[in-house]
Amino acid sequence: MSSVFVTQAVVDAGPVSMGEQVAFYVLGTGSLIGALGMLFARNAVHSALWLVLTMLNLGVLYMVGQAPFLGFVQIIVYTGAIMMLFLFVLMMVGRESSDSVVEVLRGQRLAAGVIGLGFAGLLVAALVRSLTQVKPIGLAQPNAQGGGNVANVGKLIFTDYLFAFELTSALLITAAIGAMVLAFNEKRRRPAYAKSLQQELVEARFQGNRPSPLPGPGVFATANSVATPALLPDGSVAPESLSEVIESTARERLDPDLLPEPDAHALTAPEQREGES
Amino acid sequence: MISFLAQPGGLDALQAPEIDYWAMAPLLIVLGAACVGVLVEAFLAKPQRWPVQVILTVLTFAFAGLTLGLRLTKDPKGLTTVAGALSIDRPALFLWGTLLALGFGAMLMIADRSVEPGGSFVASAAIRPGTIQDRAQAGQHGMQTEVFPLALFALAGMMTFVAANDLLTMFIALEVMSLPLYLMCGLARRRRLISQEAALKYFLLGAFASAFFLYGLALLYGYAQSVKLADIAEATGGTDRSDTLLYAGFGLLLVGLLFKASVGPFHTWTPDVYQGAPTPVTAFMGACTKVAAFGAILRVLQVAFKASSWEWEYVLWAVAIVSMAIGAILGITQTDVKRMIAYSSIAHAGFLLLGSIALNHDGLSSTLFYLLTYGFTTLAAFGVVSLVRNADGEATHLSQWAGLAKRSPLVAAVFSFLLLALAGIPLTSGFIGKFVVFRAALAEGMGPLVVVALIASAVAAFFYLRVIVLMYFSEPAADGPAVSVPGAFTTAAITLGVVVTLLLGVLPGFALDWAGAAGFVF
């Protein structure tokens, strides 16, 4: 690889060399295929892997373009760290979720496709024109000065772009807080008596509303489950007998047979129980 | 390879850039306070966080305002610092002052816990909406106090955005101001699904707009071989470069900026996000983001692209016309107060663009003044919107506002005054703002555009007046909303907005003098 750099470094800003052209066409095609694959892959994991292909190609393209530092950063940071983290997240969140194929706005996809292609065509046409007008300037000259490519990048970061560089820390802090806020679910605080001393426990019981223990679930009353509520003498459900876990679980998530079924042996009608619980 | 990467003996001693800490002090104070706010979140117990954050916020604004005031007393022209990355000139200081004042008002509304018990932010955002846990936490009185540091970060991003003197700093400032806003949009206590939808929509479209900005930045770098605004300006003076790169880059860059300012055809996020976000956040976005985005547009147009203005001027004419038309016409059809103010903000963005295209000193000072007036009026308007409530939270549907004057004459009177200011009726700041902007545009020979703007103002006035008529001349609905009595914070924010709106309508001279004190330094 080092020979590639050296030969590129020798070629000055003049016309693009044959080797560079070949590299460009190979890598450019690769990155384009990767980008299209990312867009059209049905599976999110496949999309991410196509993106890795694009990034690898871009990384090598940077190296060919005499920016080795950028190339390595592209490969190590983007492809190595960020994309792998991204894959982790995809795997954790679950990769089954697929796109909905229902169009909410009629004809939206067609319109978006046509306009998108038109925009891409406009941009490509304009940029192709500018390719002939713009004089290419290689990095050979700046790379030869100072301490070489890496040192020069470092120098720019800590002089000309110092403020921009420091400001990115605000971005990182925001991102970290955002992830915490959106994903971190604080554990429900334990009830006060859980960790308290015996004396406090006694006081809490006798000064509270209920000196006696909580009623047990109505196991064996109508069913053989702790999810069955205990019934009060008038036939209504004793709310204290309901398990907190069951109460705090979304109804849809409970197994269907745990939900109260219409039961001939029940003391109250199902609708009534529904309303009380 | 090693010899190539680091050539022996080639590393010179680094010259550290000069940093004028005193000039940057307001910005550094806000950034530092945001970091301290994060530490407060990390180390304090939950019940202590809210009071500490409120005290910290008040101190931040006090100190930032103090340093800004000291700065104004000296250095009439301004300077660039940190290797030219920031330009702290008169327009930047004016915008900083505006942002700090508006940000303070918005922070008061964010901190308020009286209108909505516990604050308008959700107690725990990680709980999925609609679950039993979510219903349980609706009764809790806590709120996610991370909102305070997030808002301060957003404010710091905005302050950097208006002072950024190169496109790279501007881009990072754009992200610093947007990212917290995306988050804060999704943290509403009530109607969480629509709030999260707003956040997602804003995030996706915002990321898209950032990509446009970045693409434009790259093309402009190819054009001028520099991202500094002054270098781009210099490059546009010559003729030996590719115009394609210039105009493609400029266009893409502008799409990113116009998106943030919710102008014209790049406005699609605005109504949904304004409606879905918690109202204090909407007020923050409506007032401060607009100021920041137009501050940056002014700087980019006046500093970097003034020389090439005859090429793009008519494109922006078209954008301004589209923006005013969309805002005024679609605003009429709205039935939700927050959406209506959102469309009104799109129309106002068109008026502001008018002043921004007038590339002279009057254009600059009038646009700055308009931003000041518009910000305070919008802030107070959203403050009033947050007061009209029923059992489900805010009653934003217009039919619910019928006969509001009979229930609460004071709130109806205040809101009518603010709507008149938005419409631009004399004796309000809105009139003076429109007047100076239109005058500057006329002086630049933009007569047809001013005529369109006047028609758009007249059309827009219709839907403002319709709300006033609804409030005063309709019978109140039987199950209509109640008007909550606001606590000290929201009262202060609304009062601030109303007083400034009145003051700038009656005595605009001093603010116009500030706005026109000096031009950009680059």
Side-chain angles (χ1 to χ4, degrees), chain B residues 158-244:
Chain B
M158 291 168 186
M159 288 170 72
T160 317
F161 198 48
V162 297
N165 202 23
D166 67 59
L167 292 175
L168 203 61
T169 310
M170 199 175 262
F171 175 70
I172 293 170
L174 176 78
E175 292 301 303
V176 171
M177 84 179 203
S178 307
L179 212 55
L181 284 177
Y182 302 147
L183 273 166
M184 284 155 65
C185 283
L187 298 182
R189 177 181 290 264
R190 310 287 192 116
R191 299 183 188 143
R192 291 189 58 202
L193 277 178
I194 192 177
S195 163
Q196 294 188 347
E197 186 196 330
L200 191 69
K201 204 172 258 180
Y202 194 19
F203 174 64
L204 288 178
L205 290 177
F208 206 50
S210 294
F212 272 99
F213 187 97
L214 204 55
Y215 204 160
L217 196 167
L219 293 184
L220 285 173
Y221 180 74
Y223 173 75
Q225 272 113 54
S226 168
V227 291
K228 291 195 187 337
L229 295 180
D231 292 346
I232 294 173
E234 202 178 319
T236 53
T239 50
D240 57 335
R241 295 165 199 261
S242 159
D243 280 350
T244 315

Side-chain angles (χ1 to χ4, degrees), chain A residues 5 68 119 123 126 129-130 133-134 144 146-147 151 155 158-159 161 163-164 171 174 177-178 181-182 184 186 247-249, chain B residues 5-7 10-11 14-15 17 24 38 46 83 125-126 132-133 146 160 172 175-176 180 183 212 215 227 242 244-245:
Chain A
F5 291 141
F119 178 69
L123 211 59
R129 214 168 66 111
S130 77
Q133 294 174 353
V134 176
K155 194 175 158 186
F158 287 103
T159 54
Y161 301 109
F163 190 69
L171 216 52
T174 309
I177 305 178
V181 166
L182 293 183
F184 177 63
E186 212 158 343
E247 258 303 84
S248 62
T249 310
Chain B
L5 292 177
Q7 283 169 3
L11 199 61
L14 273 186
Q15 279 287 323
M24 288 170 71
V38 174
K46 210 154 200 186
I132 293 182
Q133 291 95 323
E146 284 86 352
T160 317
I172 293 170
E175 292 301 303
V176 171
L183 273 166
F212 272 99
Y215 204 160
V227 291
S242 159
T244 315
L245 285 182

